[in-house]
Amino acid sequence: MESSGKKSAESSEPSARDLRLQLKERDGLVREYLSRLRWLQAEFENYKKRVTKEREELTAYANEGLVTQLLDVSDNFERAIGIAKREEGNRSIIQGLEMVYTQLQNILKKEGLVQIKAVGEPFDPFKHEAVMRVSSNDHKDGTIVEEIQKGYFFKSKVIRPSRVKVVKNP
Amino acid sequence: MAKIIGIDLGTSNSAAAVMQAGRPVIIPSAEGATPAGKMFPSYVAFTKDGQRLVGEPARRQAVANPEGTATAFKRKMGTEHKYKIYGKEYTPQELSAYLLQKIKRDAEAFLGDEVTRAVITCPAYFNDNQRQATKDAGAIAGLEVVRIINEPTAASLAYGIDKLEKELKIMVFDFGAGTLDVTILEFGKGVFEVKSTSGDTQLGGTDMDDVIVDYLNDEFKKDTGIELKSDKMALVRLREAAEKAKIELSTTLTTEINLPFISADSTGPKHLVQTLTRAKLEELVSPIVERCRPSVERALEDAKLALGDIDKIILVGGPTRMPLVRRFIEEIMGKKVGRGVDPMECVAMGAAIQAGVITGEVKELLLLDVTPLTLGVETLGGIFTPLIPRNTTIPTKKSQIFSTAADFQTTVTIHVLQGERPMAAGNTSLGQFNLVGIPPAPRGIPQIEVAFDIDANGILNVSAKDLATGKEQAMRITAPTKLSKEQIDRMIKEAEKFAEQDKKRKEEAELRNQADSLAYTAEKTVKDLGEKITKEQREKIESAVKDLRGALGGREIEKIKDRMENLKKALQEVSTVIYQQAAQKRAGGRKQYGEPPKEKKDEEVVDAKYKVVDEGKE
């Protein structure tokens, strides 16, 4: 067993040159794998950091979707109260409605909803959206003269820009 | 090595993506997402005081500052056209560069690293001049454009077409917010070749919103005589509602549009309440969709191809999410369209994949596999208890502690299965083995750790270890014949189909387990308490246990439930002290993870897709 093993080993013994080539090939592979590993590891580290950041954001803004959907409800409350007030009578019902509206607003405020200031402010495209322009002698260019739809911040993020009318003199 | 990002520089909207762990991810826009999704509008604006705005803020101020705002400048790329804004001239590539600069900033914030290189997409019909202009735009923005690729090619990459080792003829139907591009590509030997392009630069999803708004306006006018479109505030609400309804009707058949207090006249406030069905929406927009037909036909004609020659259809752009658009294309082509990648993001994603290929990041070597089906073991009552859920990336390892189902049970059978059904019988058996020599103990006491370990090659090692004695038994399962995609899909579909029925069976099995456990606890309680309870009480419990056991022999679920209640009552009647003792026992029993495995005789192995390689070591 031993002798035959030795014999076959001798006959198939690769030359030094072959071995060197093999070694070089292996070296190349090792380098490639190592670089891939480093790449992957670095990416994983970055990924972990990003996920942590994203999770923080997610927790902070978890209610954003719900709050955004409730903006329509809040708008409609304002419209209902506004129109009801134009007519005489029903004082107590209007008062009740106003209370419910305040209740809703307080909940939203507690969650981090803040109304964006609009009328009289200079137009700022980072929180306002222009839907109309008007000319006016009483106002400077770029002043907001009318709010068509209220805009809101949720914490530090604009979840809905205010839709506004802006002064633009020819 | 720094990342190369992929950019979809669109006429109305743009987006960028980057490879993350082998997958393209859309880079979020700093100013937040628009209603269009993760893309941002391709707008650049200058205010009178010289401030430059890009993306969403630029779009928001367009109405107030039309002469300072530019968009759709992609259409002028490669021409001598100059945009004159407040006395200064800008070339289309300079304006495009402002978009690219913003993307660069967003990407750097996202990756936390400097970004200097990019792959940018352009329409297939762009000539050398236009492509050079795109490259120049990159250079102005401080980005080296390592490659310009065609938008339809990028979309094909996102769909993994380049991985198919086949020659294919592909039609890419790109229906955007404002333009339609139809491209026919030929793919072979890793190369995409453009055979023909056609399209319509004045056709898109915005046209659809317009007809919906008109319809809602007309309907309201019929009821009330009020023209909503002349009231700016009402129009804003109307347009928003129309867009929302359009998107919603891609997944539902009917939607409710509610706009209270939209207007008022002398008779009081008016509300818009309108139900819009998908059928109505399709009736409204179908003339617009129909306008796509000539472009499709022309593309085929120019490529000198017949309808049947196209192997694959890829849809790009938000409006292609509409079932009507998909049906329209499928009807013309007589072929199903490809799905699975977000049609609005696929161009940016394809560009990122191309970028990944250039950095060498996309390599087969790193593609990790996932388990296509859930792997688990059979436990008491024929329940399938999952250990590794489907779609888990491998290599992975999971273990769980099980216990015995009977007193003084010395052998447990580990029956390994794969599948999505809750009952073991519905799934495919991969093999089983016994762990013997467990020291005799009451049921629920021995702790047997079952571990599943799948290596990178998909070979599953299952081991069971008695934690008391350290005795271990293992089995190796390889996948000599991998399940085909069809088989896996079939198994998943079956699981959905039988979900209701399976749930019932599982509940039944669980109820039986509970009943059995209750009977056992009751007997044990009686034995433990001995003389502490009266003979009457003992007999009452014993007869209730007997009744329950009798019911368990039958198939009537209600009977088992009733008798369980009877036994519980009998137990409760015994003094509170005794009841508390029993409760402690039950709670103690629950601490064991999962259900005890059922003792099972060696049975035939059903249709194993995996083969047992070696039976374990003692």
Side-chain angles (χ1 to χ4, degrees):
Chain A
M1 188 63 203
E2 206 174 73
S3 65
S4 76
K6 212 172 175 182
K7 209 172 177 184
S8 75
E10 262 168 20
S11 63
S12 66
E13 181 96 0
S15 70
R17 196 174 148 264
D18 283 350
L19 281 173
R20 252 199 297 279
L21 271 174
Q22 246 177 42
L23 188 68
K24 210 175 151 193
E25 204 176 285
R26 292 280 147 151
D27 269 356
L29 267 180
V30 166
R31 260 197 298 277
E32 191 192 325
Y33 288 160
L34 202 63
S35 101
R36 301 203 76 76
L37 184 68
R38 282 203 188 111
W39 176 283
L40 209 66
Q41 192 129 26
E43 183 160 290
F44 183 60
E45 289 300 320
N46 288 330
Y47 174 76
K48 278 201 290 197
K49 281 178 216 155
R50 209 179 65 241
V51 166
T52 315
K53 205 178 111 204
E54 275 172 6
R55 197 181 310 127
E56 278 164 12
E57 270 169 26
L58 205 68
T59 335
Y61 289 95
N63 287 329
E64 186 187 328
L66 179 67
V67 170
T68 310
Q69 286 184 62
L70 286 174
L71 293 183
D72 276 344
V73 180
S74 170
D75 288 350
N76 287 330
F77 252 120
E78 286 164 20
R79 292 189 185 103
I81 294 166
I83 285 172
K85 273 184 169 169
R86 283 187 213 154
E87 285 163 40
E88 286 301 310
N90 283 337
R91 279 282 149 238
S92 62
I93 288 184
I94 294 169
Q95 198 189 352
L97 264 179
E98 276 177 329
M99 282 163 71
V100 182
Y101 169 69
T102 314
Q103 208 176 6
L104 176 69
Q105 279 291 320
N106 284 343
I107 293 170
L108 294 175
K109 265 182 208 150
K110 229 173 88 190
E111 287 296 320
L113 193 74
V114 179
Q115 202 190 313
I116 295 172
K117 283 198 196 114
V119 177
E121 298 281 311
F123 176 80
D124 175 359
F126 289 92
K127 50 190 191 200
H128 305 131
E129 179 172 339
V131 286
M132 270 182 103
R133 56 172 187 277
V134 286
S135 46
S136 157
N137 297 324
D138 310 333
H139 297 92
K140 261 197 351 199
D141 254 13
T143 311
I144 296 169
V145 284
E146 195 184 326
E147 187 180 52
I148 288 169
Q149 188 182 46
K150 278 187 184 171
Y152 290 97
F153 289 109
F154 182 60
K155 294 175 183 175
S156 60
K157 195 159 146 189
V158 176
I159 52 169
R160 188 172 81 186
S162 351
R163 272 37 189 282
V164 296
K165 231 184 236 183
V166 185
V167 173
K168 173 93 182 149
N169 292 316
Chain B
M1 203 175 353
K3 297 250 183 197
I4 304 179
I5 58 171
I7 300 172
D8 170 9
L9 195 59
T11 309
S12 7
N13 292 297
S14 298
V18 67
M19 293 302 276
Q20 292 272 317
R23 259 167 227 281
V25 179
I26 296 287
I27 297 168
S29 170
E31 290 81 18
T34 55
K38 287 177 184 161
M39 310 187 91
F40 68 89
S42 303
Y43 273 73
V44 172
F46 298 89
T47 59
K48 251 188 186 155
D49 46 13
Q51 196 191 355
R52 188 171 74 215
L53 300 164
V54 180
E56 183 63 13
R59 187 193 64 80
R60 282 188 197 149
Q61 57 83 64
V63 169
N65 178 28
E67 61 272 49
T69 311
T71 185
F73 34 83
K74 182 179 174 181
R75 291 188 174 146
K76 300 284 184 215
M77 286 289 263
T79 66
E80 293 299 312
H81 186 92
K82 295 271 193 317
Y83 288 83
K84 249 205 175 120
I85 300 169
Y86 294 130
K88 247 194 109 182
E89 285 192 341
Y90 299 91
T91 60
Q93 43 271 51
E94 276 175 295
L95 294 174
S96 297
Y98 297 139
L99 295 180
L100 294 172
Q101 250 168 25
K102 171 199 148 44
I103 288 172
K104 183 176 188 282
R105 266 199 314 273
D106 286 349
E108 286 172 349
F110 181 70
L111 293 168
D113 201 0
E114 206 192 351
V115 174
T116 55
R117 297 191 294 166
V119 169
I120 302 181
T121 64
C122 74
Y125 56 77
F126 258 27
N127 61 29
D128 283 347
N129 259 341
Q130 291 166 304
R131 283 166 204 262
Q132 188 54 48
T134 308
K135 272 195 164 181
D136 293 345
I140 298 168
L143 283 170
E144 181 199 341
V145 181
V146 289
R147 192 152 321 164
I148 298 268
I149 66 169
N150 289 326
E151 284 156 9
T153 303
S156 303
L157 289 175
Y159 274 92
I161 299 284
D162 54 317
K163 296 222 175 58
L164 305 172
E165 303 198 340
K166 271 197 282 202
E167 290 195 4
L168 288 172
K169 291 186 181 68
I170 307 153
M171 170 180 281
V172 181
F173 183 81
D174 182 348
F175 196 20
T179 44
L180 169 73
D181 284 324
V182 182
T183 313
I184 291 176
L185 297 172
E186 197 173 67
F187 173 74
K189 298 192 182 75
V191 179
F192 288 90
E193 193 190 332
V194 179
K195 300 306 276 182
S196 71
T197 63
S198 73
D200 188 331
T201 54
Q202 306 299 332
L203 181 61
T206 329
D207 298 321
M208 294 185 179
D209 296 342
D210 291 344
V211 297
I212 305 168
V213 168
D214 285 346
Y215 168 74
L216 294 174
N217 181 56
D218 292 349
E219 288 296 297
F220 191 75
K221 202 171 172 182
K222 257 189 247 163
D223 288 347
T224 62
I226 300 170
E227 173 86 22
L228 288 176
K229 280 175 88 177
S230 55
D231 173 359
K232 199 75 196 183
M233 181 158 175
L235 187 59
V236 167
R237 292 176 71 194
L238 205 56
R239 189 161 273 282
E240 224 163 54
E243 217 183 309
K244 221 169 104 192
K246 181 185 77 174
I247 292 166
E248 215 164 274
L249 285 174
S250 286
T251 46
T252 60
L253 288 173
T254 162
T255 186
E256 191 86 27
I257 299 171
N258 280 313
L259 297 171
F261 307 104
I262 187 99
S263 189
D265 63 11
S266 53
T267 62
K270 292 279 172 285
H271 315 299
L272 189 151
V273 183
Q274 180 91 49
T275 304
L276 193 62
T277 61
R278 187 189 283 177
K280 184 72 211 174
L281 171 79
E282 294 186 345
E283 185 195 316
L284 292 172
V285 303
S286 93
I288 296 164
V289 177
E290 194 52 46
R291 277 166 58 198
C292 299
R293 193 184 290 273
S295 299
V296 173
E297 284 167 354
R298 205 168 342 112
L300 280 169
E301 213 173 279
D302 292 351
K304 297 190 178 59
L305 291 174
L307 289 173
D309 294 335
I310 299 292
D311 303 296
K312 204 136 189 104
I313 304 155
I314 288 174
L315 300 182
V316 182
T320 64
R321 286 206 188 109
M322 292 175 81
L324 172 72
V325 176
R326 282 204 299 265
R327 228 168 43 230
F328 169 79
I329 287 293
E330 282 172 357
E331 258 165 39
I332 297 185
M333 307 301 294
K335 193 167 259 117
K336 289 268 161 208
V337 298
R339 285 207 211 175
V341 184
D342 189 312
M344 292 187 77
E345 296 171 2
C346 67
V347 172
M349 287 191 169
I353 291 169
Q354 178 66 57
V357 170
I358 294 167
T359 51
E361 212 180 325
V362 182
K363 259 197 184 169
E364 289 301 315
L365 186 72
L366 276 182
L367 277 182
L368 293 174
D369 227 339
V370 294
T371 53
L373 291 164
T374 302
L375 293 161
V377 292
E378 179 176 347
T379 53
L380 186 64
I383 293 173
F384 176 61
T385 302
L387 264 97
I388 299 181
R390 61 182 278 250
N391 271 337
T392 302
T393 304
I394 56 173
T396 186
K397 192 176 171 162
K398 285 258 173 70
S399 68
Q400 197 170 333
I401 311 272
F402 292 89
S403 192
T404 49
D407 286 340
F408 311 122
Q409 184 182 334
T410 56
T411 306
V412 289
T413 299
I414 311 295
H415 185 196
V416 183
L417 300 118
Q418 71 172 359
E420 305 310 312
R421 308 270 297 267
M423 298 301 289
N427 293 322
T428 307
S429 171
L430 301 177
Q432 54 186 326
F433 64 94
N434 291 324
L435 177 66
V436 296
I438 300 166
R443 66 189 249 174
I445 299 297
Q447 293 202 317
I448 293 139
E449 185 188 52
V450 176
F452 275 41
D453 184 341
I454 310 181
D455 68 14
N457 300 316
I459 293 166
L460 171 64
N461 282 293
V462 180
S463 66
K465 187 178 179 184
D466 177 9
L467 294 181
T469 60
K471 217 167 223 179
E472 200 179 343
Q473 191 89 22
M475 182 173 73
R476 207 158 87 119
I477 300 163
T478 60
T481 49
K482 277 213 167 171
L483 289 178
S484 71
K485 179 94 178 59
E486 286 74 29
Q487 281 171 306
I488 291 165
D489 286 348
R490 199 199 67 221
M491 289 181 83
I492 293 166
K493 276 217 186 77
E494 262 177 20
E496 282 162 10
K497 197 168 117 199
F498 293 112
E500 202 47 45
Q501 197 181 327
D502 280 348
K503 205 176 129 210
K504 267 202 198 113
R505 280 180 63 197
K506 190 179 173 193
E507 275 165 7
E508 184 185 331
E510 275 169 351
L511 181 75
R512 280 175 181 277
N513 287 349
Q514 277 169 19
D516 182 59
S517 174
L518 181 67
Y520 175 84
T521 314
E523 274 173 341
K524 203 158 183 307
T525 310
V526 169
K527 213 194 282 164
D528 288 353
L529 291 169
E531 297 305 310
K532 281 186 205 145
I533 51 170
T534 66
K535 191 164 167 257
E536 257 171 34
Q537 284 172 323
R538 183 181 317 140
E539 273 167 4
K540 198 170 176 192
I541 293 173
E542 276 170 358
S543 99
V545 168
K546 211 178 138 209
D547 281 353
L548 179 59
R549 287 257 150 89
L552 273 172
R555 300 208 56 98
E556 290 166 68
I557 295 304
E558 288 309 313
K559 209 166 166 185
I560 298 174
K561 275 190 193 157
D562 275 0
R563 302 221 164 143
M564 271 175 84
E565 280 311 305
N566 282 343
L567 177 55
K568 276 185 197 160
K569 256 188 223 142
L571 280 166
Q572 260 164 30
E573 277 164 22
V574 182
S575 76
T576 38
V577 181
I578 293 161
Y579 182 71
Q580 273 166 0
Q581 282 173 0
Q584 271 163 12
K585 289 239 160 56
R586 275 210 300 280
R590 225 177 279 139
K591 268 185 201 139
Q592 256 101 35
Y593 291 86
E595 296 285 337
K598 177 189 175 189
E599 204 185 356
K600 204 169 170 231
K601 283 175 210 84
D602 281 352
E603 276 177 15
E604 80 284 17
V605 177
V606 213
D607 185 29
K609 285 288 185 283
Y610 283 28
K611 205 168 113 201
V612 178
V613 170
D614 71 30
E615 289 264 22
K617 51 200 187 261
E618 279 290 320

